[in-house]
């Protein structure tokens, strides 16, 4: 968990993301978009910026993430 406090979760590195079949610390997200949607708290800004992108750019970002 790195330097995360008991009430926090350490953000997993993106490298190797293309080999994962579930996402988030507990594996509850089945897709990358579901993982983004489920973020709140400190990550809500990143989630909101993702949804502010045009649909085409969101799709491009997801395709890119699947190459890591």
């Amino acid at each position: 968990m790195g330097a995360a406090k008991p009430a926090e979760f350490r953000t997993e590195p993106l490298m190797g993301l293309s080999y994962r079949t579930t996402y988030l610390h507990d594996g509850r997200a089945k897709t990358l978009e579901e993982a983004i949607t489920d973020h709140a708290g400190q990550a809500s800004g990143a989630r909101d910026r993702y949804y502010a992108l045009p649909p085409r750019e969101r799709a491009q970002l997801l395709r890119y993430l699947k190459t890591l």
Side-chain angles (χ1 to χ4, degrees):
M1 297 296 283
K5 296 179 177 108
E8 301 174 326
F9 290 100
R10 178 177 124 347
T11 300
E12 289 294 323
L14 293 177
M15 296 309 289
L17 193 62
S18 62
Y19 299 105
R20 299 187 58 89
T21 57
T22 60
Y23 307 93
L24 297 179
H25 66 280
D26 58 3
R28 74 178 180 269
K30 304 300 180 212
T31 67
L32 287 171
E33 189 157 42
E34 187 178 341
I36 293 167
T37 298
D38 286 353
H39 273 82
Q42 290 180 333
S44 62
R47 178 201 58 214
D48 296 345
R49 286 188 300 278
Y50 170 79
Y51 280 107
L53 293 171
R56 181 172 181 252
E57 289 182 29
R58 287 196 306 259
Q60 289 172 330
L61 177 59
L62 292 174
R63 275 194 305 277
Y64 168 72
L65 290 172
K66 290 176 185 177
T67 69
L68 299 177

